[in-house]
Each structure stands twice: as structure tokens, then as C-alpha cells.
Amino acid sequence: IIANPPFSSNQDVKHVLKMYEILKPGGTLAVIMSRHWIFSSDRLCVSFCNWIERISAKEYAIPEGAFKDSNTNIATIALVINK
């Protein structure tokens, strides 16, 4: 699964959790997300952060401005998750 879900209201976190749920064993999920969940004290984000660590997801920081040609100037992160 390759995705770039919407970022607002933790939609990206919710999408990743759902995508992982439907991902078949041996499958890979690659997703671009907001970095909000890394710093948030929101219960969902803290739980997500702990889960990402538990499943040994690979994290790749994408610097602010990397997508400025698409009118998106925020720093993002790419996650690669193998199931």
C-alpha cells in the first residue's frame, strides 16, 4: 500500500492504522504523513508513536519545503511498515 492521506484531525494516523489492519502478512505499507503525531500529547498520537516503535517501522524525515511545488511547505515524514 502506498498512500498520502489527509493530515488534518489526525486523519493520517487513523488511515495508517486502518491500512495496516487490511495489509496482508508479508505486505508493505509506505506512507507520507504529517509529523504532528511525533510531538502531540493527544492519546491517539501517543498510542500511535508507541505502536510505530513496537512494530519497528522505518522513519524517513522529509524536510520542510520538499513539496513546495505542490503548495505544501510543512515538514513531513515517510513511514515504511512491513507486516
Side-chain angles (χ1 to χ4, degrees), residues 35-82:
R35 299 185 70 203
H36 168 77
W37 57 271
I38 297 170
F39 309 106
S40 176
S41 59
D42 173 274
R43 195 156 106 196
L44 175 64
C45 292
V46 170
S47 175
F48 184 77
C49 210
N50 291 333
W51 176 72
I52 287 298
E53 191 174 310
R54 252 189 345 270
I55 64 167
S56 301
K58 302 279 191 256
E59 300 177 26
Y60 302 93
I62 301 171
E64 181 177 328
F67 298 109
K68 67 181 175 190
D69 291 344
S70 300
N71 296 319
T72 300
N73 205 34
I74 65 169
T76 55
I77 188 165
L79 290 181
V80 177
I81 303 168
N82 295 306

mmCIF file of all heavy atoms in Angstrom, residues 35-82:
data_model
loop_
_atom_site.group_PDB
_atom_site.id
_atom_site.type_symbol
_atom_site.label_atom_id
_atom_site.label_comp_id
_atom_site.label_asym_id
_atom_site.label_seq_id
_atom_site.Cartn_x
_atom_site.Cartn_y
_atom_site.Cartn_z
ATOM 1 N N ARG A 35 4.106 15.269 10.682
ATOM 2 C CA ARG A 35 4.939 14.880 11.821
ATOM 3 C C ARG A 35 4.240 15.171 13.142
ATOM 4 O O ARG A 35 4.797 14.964 14.214
ATOM 5 C CB ARG A 35 6.271 15.609 11.746
ATOM 6 C CG ARG A 35 7.022 15.247 10.459
ATOM 7 C CD ARG A 35 8.373 15.848 10.413
ATOM 8 N NE ARG A 35 9.158 15.147 11.421
ATOM 9 C CZ ARG A 35 10.231 15.646 11.995
ATOM 10 N NH1 ARG A 35 10.657 16.838 11.676
ATOM 11 N NH2 ARG A 35 10.877 14.964 12.906
ATOM 12 N N HIS A 36 3.000 15.625 13.089
ATOM 13 C CA HIS A 36 2.246 16.035 14.272
ATOM 14 C C HIS A 36 2.215 14.964 15.357
ATOM 15 O O HIS A 36 2.398 15.259 16.539
ATOM 16 C CB HIS A 36 0.814 16.407 13.866
ATOM 17 C CG HIS A 36 -0.113 16.573 15.017
ATOM 18 N ND1 HIS A 36 -0.108 17.693 15.814
ATOM 19 C CD2 HIS A 36 -1.061 15.758 15.523
ATOM 20 C CE1 HIS A 36 -1.013 17.557 16.763
ATOM 21 N NE2 HIS A 36 -1.607 16.387 16.602
ATOM 22 N N TRP A 37 2.022 13.734 14.994
ATOM 23 C CA TRP A 37 1.881 12.653 15.969
ATOM 24 C C TRP A 37 3.145 12.435 16.789
ATOM 25 O O TRP A 37 3.088 11.906 17.890
ATOM 26 C CB TRP A 37 1.463 11.353 15.277
ATOM 27 C CG TRP A 37 2.379 10.904 14.192
ATOM 28 C CD1 TRP A 37 2.317 11.245 12.868
ATOM 29 C CD2 TRP A 37 3.519 10.052 14.316
ATOM 30 N NE1 TRP A 37 3.333 10.652 12.171
ATOM 31 C CE2 TRP A 37 4.088 9.914 13.035
ATOM 32 C CE3 TRP A 37 4.099 9.392 15.381
ATOM 33 C CZ2 TRP A 37 5.220 9.146 12.791
ATOM 34 C CZ3 TRP A 37 5.236 8.616 15.147
ATOM 35 C CH2 TRP A 37 5.776 8.505 13.860
ATOM 36 N N ILE A 38 4.286 12.868 16.281
ATOM 37 C CA ILE A 38 5.553 12.695 16.996
ATOM 38 C C ILE A 38 5.604 13.575 18.247
ATOM 39 O O ILE A 38 6.156 13.186 19.272
ATOM 40 C CB ILE A 38 6.743 13.013 16.072
ATOM 41 C CG1 ILE A 38 6.771 12.023 14.902
ATOM 42 C CG2 ILE A 38 8.059 13.001 16.839
ATOM 43 C CD1 ILE A 38 7.755 12.382 13.809
ATOM 44 N N PHE A 39 5.006 14.759 18.156
ATOM 45 C CA PHE A 39 5.109 15.755 19.222
ATOM 46 C C PHE A 39 3.837 15.900 20.055
ATOM 47 O O PHE A 39 3.856 16.524 21.100
ATOM 48 C CB PHE A 39 5.457 17.112 18.624
ATOM 49 C CG PHE A 39 6.636 17.054 17.700
ATOM 50 C CD1 PHE A 39 6.474 17.142 16.333
ATOM 51 C CD2 PHE A 39 7.916 16.869 18.206
ATOM 52 C CE1 PHE A 39 7.561 17.082 15.478
ATOM 53 C CE2 PHE A 39 9.011 16.793 17.365
ATOM 54 C CZ PHE A 39 8.838 16.905 15.998
ATOM 55 N N SER A 40 2.757 15.340 19.597
ATOM 56 C CA SER A 40 1.462 15.539 20.244
ATOM 57 C C SER A 40 1.336 14.716 21.527
ATOM 58 O O SER A 40 1.844 13.600 21.628
ATOM 59 C CB SER A 40 0.342 15.133 19.283
ATOM 60 O OG SER A 40 -0.903 15.232 19.920
ATOM 61 N N SER A 41 0.606 15.285 22.485
ATOM 62 C CA SER A 41 0.303 14.541 23.720
ATOM 63 C C SER A 41 -1.103 13.944 23.652
ATOM 64 O O SER A 41 -1.564 13.318 24.603
ATOM 65 C CB SER A 41 0.434 15.458 24.940
ATOM 66 O OG SER A 41 -0.446 16.545 24.822
ATOM 67 N N ASP A 42 -1.760 14.111 22.513
ATOM 68 C CA ASP A 42 -3.072 13.514 22.264
ATOM 69 C C ASP A 42 -2.965 11.998 22.439
ATOM 70 O O ASP A 42 -1.988 11.375 22.023
ATOM 71 C CB ASP A 42 -3.489 13.877 20.830
ATOM 72 C CG ASP A 42 -4.742 13.197 20.373
ATOM 73 O OD1 ASP A 42 -4.635 12.059 19.870
ATOM 74 O OD2 ASP A 42 -5.809 13.794 20.512
ATOM 75 N N ARG A 43 -3.956 11.403 23.060
ATOM 76 C CA ARG A 43 -3.931 9.959 23.363
ATOM 77 C C ARG A 43 -3.714 9.096 22.122
ATOM 78 O O ARG A 43 -2.920 8.140 22.155
ATOM 79 C CB ARG A 43 -5.233 9.580 24.063
ATOM 80 C CG ARG A 43 -5.161 8.233 24.725
ATOM 81 C CD ARG A 43 -6.159 8.140 25.832
ATOM 82 N NE ARG A 43 -7.266 7.286 25.435
ATOM 83 C CZ ARG A 43 -8.423 7.248 26.049
ATOM 84 N NH1 ARG A 43 -8.667 8.030 27.053
ATOM 85 N NH2 ARG A 43 -9.368 6.436 25.653
ATOM 86 N N LEU A 44 -4.391 9.415 21.035
ATOM 87 C CA LEU A 44 -4.241 8.646 19.804
ATOM 88 C C LEU A 44 -2.797 8.738 19.296
ATOM 89 O O LEU A 44 -2.204 7.736 18.898
ATOM 90 C CB LEU A 44 -5.216 9.136 18.729
ATOM 91 C CG LEU A 44 -5.074 8.498 17.354
ATOM 92 C CD1 LEU A 44 -5.382 7.001 17.412
ATOM 93 C CD2 LEU A 44 -5.982 9.192 16.352
ATOM 94 N N CYS A 45 -2.230 9.927 19.323
ATOM 95 C CA CYS A 45 -0.871 10.125 18.811
ATOM 96 C C CYS A 45 0.177 9.427 19.676
ATOM 97 O O CYS A 45 1.117 8.828 19.154
ATOM 98 C CB CYS A 45 -0.564 11.614 18.700
ATOM 99 S SG CYS A 45 -1.541 12.440 17.425
ATOM 100 N N VAL A 46 0.022 9.495 20.980
ATOM 101 C CA VAL A 46 0.952 8.815 21.883
ATOM 102 C C VAL A 46 0.884 7.307 21.648
ATOM 103 O O VAL A 46 1.914 6.624 21.543
ATOM 104 C CB VAL A 46 0.654 9.167 23.359
ATOM 105 C CG1 VAL A 46 1.442 8.280 24.311
ATOM 106 C CG2 VAL A 46 0.940 10.642 23.617
ATOM 107 N N SER A 47 -0.317 6.784 21.529
ATOM 108 C CA SER A 47 -0.504 5.362 21.268
ATOM 109 C C SER A 47 0.114 4.981 19.921
ATOM 110 O O SER A 47 0.781 3.951 19.790
ATOM 111 C CB SER A 47 -1.998 5.032 21.286
ATOM 112 O OG SER A 47 -2.217 3.705 20.919
ATOM 113 N N PHE A 48 -0.100 5.813 18.900
ATOM 114 C CA PHE A 48 0.451 5.570 17.571
ATOM 115 C C PHE A 48 1.974 5.564 17.616
ATOM 116 O O PHE A 48 2.620 4.686 17.038
ATOM 117 C CB PHE A 48 -0.060 6.631 16.590
ATOM 118 C CG PHE A 48 0.364 6.410 15.173
ATOM 119 C CD1 PHE A 48 -0.246 5.454 14.390
ATOM 120 C CD2 PHE A 48 1.377 7.183 14.607
ATOM 121 C CE1 PHE A 48 0.135 5.251 13.071
ATOM 122 C CE2 PHE A 48 1.767 6.992 13.295
ATOM 123 C CZ PHE A 48 1.150 6.027 12.525
ATOM 124 N N CYS A 49 2.550 6.518 18.308
ATOM 125 C CA CYS A 49 4.005 6.627 18.442
ATOM 126 C C CYS A 49 4.576 5.352 19.077
ATOM 127 O O CYS A 49 5.575 4.799 18.596
ATOM 128 C CB CYS A 49 4.324 7.848 19.296
ATOM 129 S SG CYS A 49 5.876 8.623 18.919
ATOM 130 N N ASN A 50 3.946 4.878 20.124
ATOM 131 C CA ASN A 50 4.381 3.649 20.778
ATOM 132 C C ASN A 50 4.245 2.442 19.856
ATOM 133 O O ASN A 50 5.115 1.575 19.807
ATOM 134 C CB ASN A 50 3.587 3.418 22.071
ATOM 135 C CG ASN A 50 3.927 4.425 23.133
ATOM 136 O OD1 ASN A 50 5.026 4.971 23.171
ATOM 137 N ND2 ASN A 50 2.977 4.704 24.010
ATOM 138 N N TRP A 51 3.160 2.403 19.098
ATOM 139 C CA TRP A 51 2.911 1.307 18.162
ATOM 140 C C TRP A 51 3.975 1.294 17.058
ATOM 141 O O TRP A 51 4.512 0.230 16.725
ATOM 142 C CB TRP A 51 1.507 1.441 17.579
ATOM 143 C CG TRP A 51 1.175 0.439 16.533
ATOM 144 C CD1 TRP A 51 0.928 -0.891 16.717
ATOM 145 C CD2 TRP A 51 1.035 0.681 15.126
ATOM 146 N NE1 TRP A 51 0.645 -1.485 15.513
ATOM 147 C CE2 TRP A 51 0.705 -0.545 14.521
ATOM 148 C CE3 TRP A 51 1.150 1.812 14.332
ATOM 149 C CZ2 TRP A 51 0.501 -0.662 13.154
ATOM 150 C CZ3 TRP A 51 0.946 1.692 12.973
ATOM 151 C CH2 TRP A 51 0.621 0.468 12.399
ATOM 152 N N ILE A 52 4.288 2.461 16.504
ATOM 153 C CA ILE A 52 5.304 2.580 15.448
ATOM 154 C C ILE A 52 6.641 2.026 15.946
ATOM 155 O O ILE A 52 7.356 1.336 15.224
ATOM 156 C CB ILE A 52 5.434 4.059 14.992
ATOM 157 C CG1 ILE A 52 4.220 4.468 14.168
ATOM 158 C CG2 ILE A 52 6.724 4.304 14.220
ATOM 159 C CD1 ILE A 52 4.044 3.691 12.886
ATOM 160 N N GLU A 53 6.971 2.333 17.191
ATOM 161 C CA GLU A 53 8.210 1.824 17.779
ATOM 162 C C GLU A 53 8.153 0.308 17.951
ATOM 163 O O GLU A 53 9.112 -0.396 17.628
ATOM 164 C CB GLU A 53 8.439 2.505 19.130
ATOM 165 C CG GLU A 53 9.813 2.255 19.696
ATOM 166 C CD GLU A 53 10.059 3.063 20.949
ATOM 167 O OE1 GLU A 53 9.815 4.278 20.934
ATOM 168 O OE2 GLU A 53 10.479 2.445 21.948
ATOM 169 N N ARG A 54 7.029 -0.193 18.431
ATOM 170 C CA ARG A 54 6.861 -1.642 18.667
ATOM 171 C C ARG A 54 6.988 -2.465 17.391
ATOM 172 O O ARG A 54 7.538 -3.563 17.409
ATOM 173 C CB ARG A 54 5.491 -1.909 19.300
ATOM 174 C CG ARG A 54 5.532 -2.294 20.717
ATOM 175 C CD ARG A 54 4.218 -2.779 21.317
ATOM 176 N NE ARG A 54 2.979 -2.539 20.621
ATOM 177 C CZ ARG A 54 2.200 -1.458 20.782
ATOM 178 N NH1 ARG A 54 2.546 -0.495 21.606
ATOM 179 N NH2 ARG A 54 1.077 -1.339 20.123
ATOM 180 N N ILE A 55 6.446 -1.947 16.296
ATOM 181 C CA ILE A 55 6.469 -2.731 15.048
ATOM 182 C C ILE A 55 7.727 -2.461 14.216
ATOM 183 O O ILE A 55 7.853 -2.981 13.118
ATOM 184 C CB ILE A 55 5.199 -2.496 14.201
ATOM 185 C CG1 ILE A 55 5.101 -1.049 13.734
ATOM 186 C CG2 ILE A 55 3.954 -2.939 14.950
ATOM 187 C CD1 ILE A 55 4.059 -0.817 12.666
ATOM 188 N N SER A 56 8.624 -1.639 14.747
ATOM 189 C CA SER A 56 9.904 -1.331 14.077
ATOM 190 C C SER A 56 9.716 -0.721 12.694
ATOM 191 O O SER A 56 10.377 -1.123 11.725
ATOM 192 C CB SER A 56 10.782 -2.588 13.984
ATOM 193 O OG SER A 56 11.054 -3.098 15.258
ATOM 194 N N ALA A 57 8.800 0.245 12.598
ATOM 195 C CA ALA A 57 8.607 0.951 11.337
ATOM 196 C C ALA A 57 9.855 1.772 11.016
ATOM 197 O O ALA A 57 10.538 2.258 11.914
ATOM 198 C CB ALA A 57 7.399 1.872 11.429
ATOM 199 N N LYS A 58 10.161 1.899 9.760
ATOM 200 C CA LYS A 58 11.275 2.744 9.321
ATOM 201 C C LYS A 58 10.729 4.152 9.114
ATOM 202 O O LYS A 58 9.684 4.329 8.488
ATOM 203 C CB LYS A 58 11.868 2.224 8.012
ATOM 204 C CG LYS A 58 12.363 0.798 8.086
ATOM 205 C CD LYS A 58 13.731 0.734 8.701
ATOM 206 C CE LYS A 58 14.337 -0.630 8.548
ATOM 207 N NZ LYS A 58 14.361 -1.450 9.683
ATOM 208 N N GLU A 59 11.441 5.137 9.648
ATOM 209 C CA GLU A 59 11.021 6.532 9.547
ATOM 210 C C GLU A 59 12.038 7.311 8.719
ATOM 211 O O GLU A 59 13.239 7.171 8.928
ATOM 212 C CB GLU A 59 10.918 7.161 10.939
ATOM 213 C CG GLU A 59 9.917 6.474 11.840
ATOM 214 C CD GLU A 59 9.881 7.081 13.232
ATOM 215 O OE1 GLU A 59 10.222 8.278 13.392
ATOM 216 O OE2 GLU A 59 9.529 6.353 14.172
ATOM 217 N N TYR A 60 11.535 8.115 7.783
ATOM 218 C CA TYR A 60 12.384 8.925 6.926
ATOM 219 C C TYR A 60 11.867 10.359 6.967
ATOM 220 O O TYR A 60 10.787 10.646 6.439
ATOM 221 C CB TYR A 60 12.368 8.403 5.483
ATOM 222 C CG TYR A 60 12.811 6.965 5.383
ATOM 223 C CD1 TYR A 60 11.883 5.926 5.426
ATOM 224 C CD2 TYR A 60 14.159 6.646 5.270
ATOM 225 C CE1 TYR A 60 12.291 4.597 5.350
ATOM 226 C CE2 TYR A 60 14.577 5.315 5.189
ATOM 227 C CZ TYR A 60 13.635 4.308 5.231
ATOM 228 O OH TYR A 60 14.035 2.988 5.154
ATOM 229 N N ALA A 61 12.627 11.246 7.601
ATOM 230 C CA ALA A 61 12.228 12.646 7.700
ATOM 231 C C ALA A 61 12.282 13.299 6.318
ATOM 232 O O ALA A 61 13.223 13.080 5.553
ATOM 233 C CB ALA A 61 13.147 13.383 8.658
ATOM 234 N N ILE A 62 11.262 14.070 6.011
ATOM 235 C CA ILE A 62 11.199 14.828 4.766
ATOM 236 C C ILE A 62 11.192 16.299 5.172
ATOM 237 O O ILE A 62 10.299 16.736 5.896
ATOM 238 C CB ILE A 62 9.940 14.474 3.950
ATOM 239 C CG1 ILE A 62 9.938 12.977 3.626
ATOM 240 C CG2 ILE A 62 9.885 15.308 2.671
ATOM 241 C CD1 ILE A 62 8.646 12.481 3.003
ATOM 242 N N PRO A 63 12.179 17.069 4.752
ATOM 243 C CA PRO A 63 12.305 18.442 5.246
ATOM 244 C C PRO A 63 11.201 19.385 4.766
ATOM 245 O O PRO A 63 10.583 19.158 3.714
ATOM 246 C CB PRO A 63 13.660 18.901 4.714
ATOM 247 C CG PRO A 63 13.934 18.032 3.539
ATOM 248 C CD PRO A 63 13.233 16.727 3.802
ATOM 249 N N GLU A 64 10.988 20.398 5.571
ATOM 250 C CA GLU A 64 10.053 21.461 5.199
ATOM 251 C C GLU A 64 10.468 22.005 3.836
ATOM 252 O O GLU A 64 11.647 22.185 3.561
ATOM 253 C CB GLU A 64 10.144 22.573 6.248
ATOM 254 C CG GLU A 64 9.209 23.715 6.009
ATOM 255 C CD GLU A 64 9.299 24.755 7.114
ATOM 256 O OE1 GLU A 64 9.569 24.376 8.267
ATOM 257 O OE2 GLU A 64 9.097 25.934 6.800
ATOM 258 N N GLY A 65 9.497 22.224 2.966
ATOM 259 C CA GLY A 65 9.758 22.774 1.645
ATOM 260 C C GLY A 65 9.985 21.726 0.568
ATOM 261 O O GLY A 65 10.076 22.062 -0.609
ATOM 262 N N ALA A 66 10.074 20.468 0.928
ATOM 263 C CA ALA A 66 10.321 19.415 -0.064
ATOM 264 C C ALA A 66 9.195 19.323 -1.101
ATOM 265 O O ALA A 66 9.424 18.922 -2.235
ATOM 266 C CB ALA A 66 10.514 18.068 0.618
ATOM 267 N N PHE A 67 7.982 19.712 -0.687
ATOM 268 C CA PHE A 67 6.829 19.648 -1.596
ATOM 269 C C PHE A 67 6.295 21.045 -1.934
ATOM 270 O O PHE A 67 5.129 21.199 -2.247
ATOM 271 C CB PHE A 67 5.715 18.790 -0.970
ATOM 272 C CG PHE A 67 6.126 17.367 -0.729
ATOM 273 C CD1 PHE A 67 6.320 16.901 0.571
ATOM 274 C CD2 PHE A 67 6.346 16.499 -1.779
ATOM 275 C CE1 PHE A 67 6.709 15.584 0.808
ATOM 276 C CE2 PHE A 67 6.724 15.186 -1.548
ATOM 277 C CZ PHE A 67 6.914 14.730 -0.254
ATOM 278 N N LYS A 68 7.162 22.052 -1.875
ATOM 279 C CA LYS A 68 6.695 23.427 -2.104
ATOM 280 C C LYS A 68 6.111 23.630 -3.499
ATOM 281 O O LYS A 68 5.228 24.447 -3.681
ATOM 282 C CB LYS A 68 7.799 24.433 -1.825
ATOM 283 C CG LYS A 68 8.958 24.388 -2.776
ATOM 284 C CD LYS A 68 10.004 25.399 -2.399
ATOM 285 C CE LYS A 68 11.208 25.221 -3.311
ATOM 286 N NZ LYS A 68 12.335 25.996 -2.857
ATOM 287 N N ASP A 69 6.551 22.852 -4.473
ATOM 288 C CA ASP A 69 5.989 22.959 -5.821
ATOM 289 C C ASP A 69 4.523 22.520 -5.859
ATOM 290 O O ASP A 69 3.797 22.843 -6.786
ATOM 291 C CB ASP A 69 6.797 22.134 -6.826
ATOM 292 C CG ASP A 69 8.180 22.721 -7.077
ATOM 293 O OD1 ASP A 69 8.406 23.899 -6.731
ATOM 294 O OD2 ASP A 69 9.035 21.991 -7.612
ATOM 295 N N SER A 70 4.100 21.770 -4.838
ATOM 296 C CA SER A 70 2.704 21.339 -4.725
ATOM 297 C C SER A 70 1.947 22.168 -3.694
ATOM 298 O O SER A 70 0.908 21.744 -3.197
ATOM 299 C CB SER A 70 2.658 19.861 -4.317
ATOM 300 O OG SER A 70 3.290 19.060 -5.272
ATOM 301 N N ASN A 71 2.508 23.310 -3.356
ATOM 302 C CA ASN A 71 1.904 24.238 -2.391
ATOM 303 C C ASN A 71 1.785 23.654 -0.983
ATOM 304 O O ASN A 71 0.864 23.984 -0.246
ATOM 305 C CB ASN A 71 0.546 24.734 -2.874
ATOM 306 C CG ASN A 71 0.663 25.534 -4.142
ATOM 307 O OD1 ASN A 71 1.591 26.335 -4.287
ATOM 308 N ND2 ASN A 71 -0.239 25.323 -5.079
ATOM 309 N N THR A 72 2.691 22.767 -0.635
ATOM 310 C CA THR A 72 2.754 22.206 0.715
ATOM 311 C C THR A 72 4.156 22.478 1.227
ATOM 312 O O THR A 72 5.124 21.993 0.652
ATOM 313 C CB THR A 72 2.478 20.688 0.705
ATOM 314 O OG1 THR A 72 1.180 20.477 0.170
ATOM 315 C CG2 THR A 72 2.536 20.115 2.090
ATOM 316 N N ASN A 73 4.238 23.229 2.311
ATOM 317 C CA ASN A 73 5.547 23.648 2.784
ATOM 318 C C ASN A 73 5.907 23.077 4.156
ATOM 319 O O ASN A 73 6.891 23.467 4.751
ATOM 320 C CB ASN A 73 5.619 25.180 2.814
ATOM 321 C CG ASN A 73 7.033 25.673 2.706
ATOM 322 O OD1 ASN A 73 7.843 25.065 2.044
ATOM 323 N ND2 ASN A 73 7.325 26.767 3.365
ATOM 324 N N ILE A 74 5.120 22.133 4.673
ATOM 325 C CA ILE A 74 5.391 21.622 6.013
ATOM 326 C C ILE A 74 6.359 20.443 5.969
ATOM 327 O O ILE A 74 6.484 19.751 4.956
ATOM 328 C CB ILE A 74 4.091 21.200 6.742
ATOM 329 C CG1 ILE A 74 3.426 20.021 6.030
ATOM 330 C CG2 ILE A 74 3.135 22.353 6.880
ATOM 331 C CD1 ILE A 74 2.308 19.395 6.846
ATOM 332 N N ALA A 75 7.040 20.224 7.086
ATOM 333 C CA ALA A 75 7.902 19.054 7.205
ATOM 334 C C ALA A 75 7.011 17.824 7.345
ATOM 335 O O ALA A 75 5.990 17.856 8.025
ATOM 336 C CB ALA A 75 8.793 19.195 8.424
ATOM 337 N N THR A 76 7.374 16.775 6.678
ATOM 338 C CA THR A 76 6.594 15.534 6.720
ATOM 339 C C THR A 76 7.507 14.376 7.076
ATOM 340 O O THR A 76 8.710 14.549 7.274
ATOM 341 C CB THR A 76 5.889 15.272 5.377
ATOM 342 O OG1 THR A 76 6.877 15.284 4.327
ATOM 343 C CG2 THR A 76 4.832 16.326 5.076
ATOM 344 N N ILE A 77 6.936 13.205 7.133
ATOM 345 C CA ILE A 77 7.721 12.001 7.406
ATOM 346 C C ILE A 77 7.169 10.871 6.532
ATOM 347 O O ILE A 77 5.970 10.786 6.307
ATOM 348 C CB ILE A 77 7.652 11.636 8.909
ATOM 349 C CG1 ILE A 77 8.620 10.518 9.241
ATOM 350 C CG2 ILE A 77 6.238 11.308 9.353
ATOM 351 C CD1 ILE A 77 8.870 10.341 10.726
ATOM 352 N N ALA A 78 8.066 10.070 6.035
ATOM 353 C CA ALA A 78 7.666 8.856 5.302
ATOM 354 C C ALA A 78 7.872 7.686 6.241
ATOM 355 O O ALA A 78 8.915 7.573 6.890
ATOM 356 C CB ALA A 78 8.493 8.693 4.048
ATOM 357 N N LEU A 79 6.873 6.846 6.336
ATOM 358 C CA LEU A 79 6.964 5.615 7.120
ATOM 359 C C LEU A 79 6.895 4.430 6.184
ATOM 360 O O LEU A 79 6.103 4.428 5.233
ATOM 361 C CB LEU A 79 5.805 5.503 8.101
ATOM 362 C CG LEU A 79 5.753 6.436 9.292
ATOM 363 C CD1 LEU A 79 4.519 6.119 10.137
ATOM 364 C CD2 LEU A 79 6.995 6.336 10.128
ATOM 365 N N VAL A 80 7.726 3.445 6.456
ATOM 366 C CA VAL A 80 7.652 2.169 5.739
ATOM 367 C C VAL A 80 7.459 1.098 6.798
ATOM 368 O O VAL A 80 8.259 0.970 7.727
ATOM 369 C CB VAL A 80 8.920 1.911 4.908
ATOM 370 C CG1 VAL A 80 8.840 0.547 4.233
ATOM 371 C CG2 VAL A 80 9.115 3.021 3.877
ATOM 372 N N ILE A 81 6.372 0.373 6.646
ATOM 373 C CA ILE A 81 5.975 -0.624 7.637
ATOM 374 C C ILE A 81 5.827 -1.967 6.924
ATOM 375 O O ILE A 81 5.083 -2.071 5.950
ATOM 376 C CB ILE A 81 4.641 -0.242 8.310
ATOM 377 C CG1 ILE A 81 4.751 1.138 8.958
ATOM 378 C CG2 ILE A 81 4.214 -1.302 9.307
ATOM 379 C CD1 ILE A 81 3.402 1.718 9.393
ATOM 380 N N ASN A 82 6.513 -2.960 7.423
ATOM 381 C CA ASN A 82 6.368 -4.323 6.900
ATOM 382 C C ASN A 82 5.551 -5.133 7.888
ATOM 383 O O ASN A 82 5.720 -5.012 9.090
ATOM 384 C CB ASN A 82 7.737 -4.974 6.709
ATOM 385 C CG ASN A 82 8.548 -4.269 5.646
ATOM 386 O OD1 ASN A 82 8.097 -4.096 4.517
ATOM 387 N ND2 ASN A 82 9.731 -3.829 6.004
#
